[in-house]
Amino acid sequence: MTNMTTGPVPTAFNEETLKAYIVSQPHLFALFKNDLSTVQIDEIGDGNLNFVFFVSGNGPALALKQALPYSRISGGKRALTCERLAFETAALREFARLAPQFVPIVHHFDPEQSLLALEFLSPHIIMRKGMIDGIEYPLFADHISTYLANCLYGTSDFALSASKKREMVAYYARNIELCEITERLIFTEPFMDSVNNQWTSPALDGVVAKLQSDVELKIRVGALKHKFLTQSDALLHADLHSGSVMLTSLDTKVIDPEFAIFGPMGFDIGILIGNLLLNYFAQEAYEATGDGRATYRQHILETIEAIWTGFSKKINELWQNNRTGDAYSSAVFDSNDPAIRSAMDNVIASYLEGVFHDTLGYAAVEMIRRTIGRAHTIDFDMIDDKDIRSRCELKVLSFATTVLKKEKEFRIMVDLTKLAKLQN
């Protein structure tokens, strides 16, 4: 694990000072054959928190990410710890141990300058942007379900010793500031009167007022938040939306796990599925043939089904063959005994049933907060026609509310995708 240190405030880099820094780091300088005369450095960050530089020429392209003691979007007004990049680095290295083919390579991390050097992914694009353009990714469901199964199972008590798990939980529990952002933006502000909320007004005003006064719905959201606060099943990416995935038709990489924290497995899966569903409901605004991109919308739903099917299948396989942790220890539960093996099948089936329902709940909460909370997505923000946008958003809110209030009625993922189809 990366150790966080308390030291001087990092100096904000620019193109010229970064060149000098690279020269001062022999292993980075060597990547460019000890010659930066033809190397180009550009600031390309478009996120809310950090600065990102693209370094190219005379060697492999790198992405250098720097976290300063404030959020990038605030221009220095919103203070944040620089240590958030230490958590991201630690999480990237842990996920690379478990699913190396789906994580960018970490070349360098400097905790004093809060600077992380990663491989620059090309020709990969952000998945959210690709989906807005209607690009299909036929391997994505298999790739991401493998990533999720390996990373979530591999950091759980099913795979880790109790002492190792406690050490990791204690480390990531220090990611306090970013975790507070998650809790506030996802579970709290959208369900109350907050100046940070924003939605398409006046079209959504009545629906938002009804949602924020719905006690039954808010109790369900409260239960999901309580589980997120108290349940440390596995190391989460904790911000696994379609903007945190870069891919091609053949390759998938998961990026930006700076919000990493231990929590319920269903959170990561739910956040991802919620964002895929947001894109599903936005598709009619991007169609050009009059069918609302029906074929592509069906592809999205099939992808969601395949993600859950693949994840549950792969978790079962890991459970059967790699139960190396202290929970349900293989030393106690001999898998060669048919009766014990059958009992263990029931244990993992029951556990996955709980993960499934958590997944649905977190997906629905994510859809609501991305529609009426502070942080929206470009899936809807790029829709210029307010009438079309509000029509799509009303479907999102109706769908998500139904899922939260009738979640126990869903038994398989097809039940969820059928409801999505009914909304359209």
Side-chain angles (χ1 to χ4, degrees):
M1 260 181 252
T2 304
N3 290 320
M4 295 187 298
T5 60
T6 301
V9 175
T11 303
F13 283 110
N14 58 37
E15 288 82 351
E16 290 305 313
T17 56
L18 260 182
K19 281 190 177 182
Y21 180 85
I22 291 171
V23 171
S24 74
Q25 304 295 319
H27 61 293
L28 287 181
F29 197 25
L31 292 174
F32 299 97
K33 304 172 186 176
N34 297 325
D35 179 9
L36 299 187
S37 61
T38 60
V39 168
Q40 178 73 26
I41 300 179
D42 299 292
E43 209 280 308
I44 59 170
D46 62 357
N48 293 334
L49 298 183
N50 304 311
F51 293 84
V52 181
F53 297 86
F54 173 45
V55 186
S56 61
N58 201 35
L62 295 182
L64 270 70
K65 188 173 184 178
Q66 186 179 34
L68 295 176
Y70 52 84
S71 65
R72 181 180 188 274
I73 196 172
S74 75
K77 296 178 182 178
R78 172 70 163 89
L80 280 177
T81 175
C82 297
E83 293 173 339
R84 62 188 184 270
L85 216 57
F87 294 113
E88 176 170 352
T89 303
L92 282 168
R93 288 171 172 163
E94 183 64 20
F95 296 149
R97 178 181 72 84
L98 297 164
Q101 66 272 47
F102 304 121
V103 181
I105 297 169
V106 175
H107 287 287
H108 174 76
F109 176 61
D110 182 340
E112 291 188 359
Q113 292 299 331
S114 194
L115 186 72
L116 172 63
L118 300 163
E119 68 169 313
F120 184 83
L121 299 172
S122 179
H124 302 65
I125 65 171
I126 294 292
M127 186 180 188
R128 192 185 301 282
K129 295 178 180 178
M131 293 182 72
I132 289 172
D133 290 338
I135 300 173
E136 293 191 10
Y137 298 103
L139 300 181
F140 171 70
D142 180 54
H143 289 175
I144 201 67
S145 62
T146 301
Y147 166 88
L148 286 165
N150 287 359
C151 293
L152 293 174
Y153 185 91
T155 56
S156 75
D157 291 290
F158 303 140
L160 297 176
S161 67
S163 57
K164 179 63 176 176
K165 170 82 179 306
R166 291 191 183 102
E167 176 191 351
M168 293 178 69
V169 170
Y171 174 78
Y172 286 98
R174 295 158 61 189
N175 197 4
I176 295 170
E177 284 187 311
L178 266 63
C179 202
E180 185 276 332
I181 292 173
T182 299
E183 293 152 7
R184 175 168 47 84
L185 294 189
I186 295 179
F187 297 108
T188 304
E189 287 183 352
F191 302 94
M192 59 180 284
D193 183 13
S194 170
V195 295
N196 290 326
N197 292 333
Q198 52 184 323
W199 58 81
T200 307
S201 182
L204 270 60
D205 290 357
V207 173
V208 173
K210 182 178 180 181
L211 183 153
Q212 291 181 339
S213 62
D214 189 327
V215 176
E216 178 188 356
L217 181 139
K218 294 200 290 186
I219 286 175
R220 174 60 183 146
V221 174
L224 288 162
K225 180 178 181 180
H226 182 252
K227 184 169 285 193
F228 179 79
L229 293 172
T230 61
Q231 194 164 304
S232 300
D233 283 3
L235 178 61
L236 306 177
H237 178 288
D239 196 30
L240 187 55
H241 51 72
S242 49
S244 298
V245 177
M246 294 189 69
L247 74 179
T248 68
S249 60
L250 300 176
D251 191 35
T252 301
K253 302 290 186 186
V254 177
I255 63 172
D256 295 345
E258 61 199 340
F259 286 83
I261 191 74
F262 272 78
M265 288 190 184
F267 184 83
D268 267 3
I269 314 167
I271 296 300
L272 176 63
I273 288 176
N275 278 269
L276 297 183
L277 285 165
L278 284 168
N279 184 270
Y280 169 85
F281 284 110
Q283 280 296 323
E284 71 172 88
Y286 299 105
E287 64 90 18
T289 59
D291 66 349
R293 281 192 181 174
T295 301
Y296 191 73
R297 285 187 287 121
Q298 179 62 28
H299 166 71
I300 295 172
L301 298 183
E302 290 172 355
T303 297
I304 290 169
E305 294 166 8
I307 289 171
W308 178 257
T309 300
F311 169 77
S312 56
K313 178 177 181 290
K314 291 160 188 175
I315 284 285
N316 266 294
E317 291 170 353
L318 289 165
W319 170 266
Q320 298 297 341
N321 301 312
N322 295 278
R323 205 162 66 249
T324 55
D326 280 341
Y328 300 98
S329 167
S330 57
V332 176
F333 298 96
D334 182 4
S335 59
N336 292 319
D337 183 322
I340 292 178
R341 191 176 185 91
S342 176
M344 289 296 96
D345 288 345
N346 292 334
V347 168
I348 193 62
S350 176
Y351 181 81
L352 283 173
E353 182 180 356
V355 174
F356 172 74
H357 287 294
D358 288 348
T359 294
L360 301 190
Y362 290 123
V365 173
E366 173 73 355
M367 295 174 75
I368 291 172
R369 76 98 169 191
R370 291 288 190 182
T371 306
I372 68 173
R374 181 178 185 178
H376 291 200
T377 73
I378 61 171
D379 307 68
F380 286 94
D381 284 349
M382 286 178 59
I383 302 174
D384 294 326
D385 188 316
K386 286 186 67 174
D387 290 336
I388 295 176
R389 174 174 171 168
S390 62
R391 184 168 70 242
C392 295
E393 290 172 330
L394 286 168
K395 292 177 183 179
V396 167
L397 295 178
S398 174
F399 172 86
T401 300
T402 300
V403 172
L404 283 169
K405 298 180 77 168
K406 298 185 177 181
E407 165 244 323
K408 293 299 182 184
E409 296 180 13
F410 298 89
R411 309 305 304 172
I412 57 177
M413 193 58 75
V414 172
D415 294 338
L416 186 77
T417 57
K418 282 181 178 178
L419 178 64
K421 288 180 184 178
L422 289 175
Q423 295 292 330
N424 277 324

